[in-house]
Amino acid sequence: MSRDTVVAKRYAKALFEVASQEQATLEVEQDLKAVVEAVQSNKEIEFFLTTPNISDSNKLNALNGALQGKLSQSVINTVDLLVKRRRTDILPDLLESYIKFRGESLGMADAVVYSTYALDEAAKEAVAAEFGQVTHKTIRVNNVIDKSLLGGLKVVIGDTLYDGSISGKLARLEKSFNDKHSR
């Protein structure tokens, strides 16, 4: 785990605790997502935040003017702190950690489901139900299309990979053949 990830987790935990006290965990997650998407989708914003020649006070004034009234105060305060400490680069990791903290508190987990085609709602619900039984959590499905799978599904929940893809099965079959023939 990188140092940045550890730092992002600390910020995320503190932000989650504040949001919990304010009973605004979902609002904070949505606001944080909006900030990360804005920074990642606009290279000018990213450049503005990371340029050392622009003073922190100018950055904070611009950000506060742009964000005030649009985002929760706890998210604005967190972004301000990251700007002052020149750590805006950890925003994506902070969002990811925050989502995990929120999900854990609600008994939820996010699953990234890789498939060769887009899953419809019924298929997503079936995957969520199946893996909900395995993990004993409510599963939120994020479908990613991966044409290299040939068929089947690959599901990632936290640090665990459930590989039911055809390419995964073929790789395991090939490995078992190689293991038998190398003895």
Side-chain angles (χ1 to χ4, degrees):
M1 187 177 310
S2 77
R3 183 176 185 279
D4 286 348
T5 304
V6 171
V7 171
K9 276 186 177 181
R10 287 187 192 135
Y11 280 101
K13 184 174 186 187
L15 181 58
F16 179 74
E17 288 172 2
V18 169
S20 294
Q21 290 171 355
E22 296 172 353
Q23 297 181 340
T25 58
L26 178 59
E27 178 189 353
V28 167
E29 180 180 324
Q30 292 168 339
D31 288 353
L32 200 53
K33 240 182 225 175
V35 170
V36 170
E37 287 172 2
V39 170
Q40 288 180 330
S41 68
N42 189 326
K43 293 299 174 195
E44 290 174 4
I45 294 173
E46 186 177 2
F47 180 76
F48 174 75
L49 291 174
T50 57
T51 300
N53 297 349
I54 301 171
S55 71
D56 291 346
S57 61
N58 285 342
K59 291 176 186 177
L60 293 172
N61 289 337
L63 283 171
N64 286 327
L67 303 177
Q68 205 64 45
K70 296 177 184 162
L71 299 177
S72 63
Q73 193 59 47
S74 55
V75 172
I76 292 172
N77 293 344
T78 301
V79 173
D80 282 357
L81 189 60
L82 292 175
V83 168
K84 288 176 187 171
R85 295 188 176 168
R86 293 191 167 98
R87 296 309 316 254
T88 54
D89 60 313
I90 67 166
L91 274 167
D93 289 336
L94 187 146
L95 172 62
E96 184 179 324
S97 293
Y98 182 90
I99 290 170
K100 284 181 184 175
F101 281 122
R102 182 171 179 274
E104 287 171 7
S105 77
L106 297 172
M108 296 171 67
D110 289 310
V112 180
V113 180
Y114 297 90
S115 61
T116 57
Y117 57 90
L119 299 178
D120 61 17
E121 286 306 311
K124 287 180 185 179
E125 288 174 13
V127 169
E130 179 75 26
F131 285 95
Q133 290 179 343
V134 171
T135 62
H136 306 290
K137 294 183 178 186
T138 303
I139 302 295
R140 295 188 297 187
V141 173
N142 177 22
N143 186 210
V144 175
I145 298 168
D146 182 353
K147 299 287 184 186
S148 70
L149 294 180
L150 304 176
L153 298 175
K154 190 165 62 170
V155 179
V156 178
I157 301 173
D159 296 333
T160 306
L161 168 66
Y162 302 92
D163 192 351
S165 66
I166 293 174
S167 55
K169 289 176 182 177
L170 289 172
R172 288 189 296 279
L173 183 64
E174 180 181 18
K175 184 180 180 327
S176 73
F177 284 146
N178 289 339
D179 289 348
K180 287 179 183 176
H181 288 94
S182 65
R183 293 182 196 173

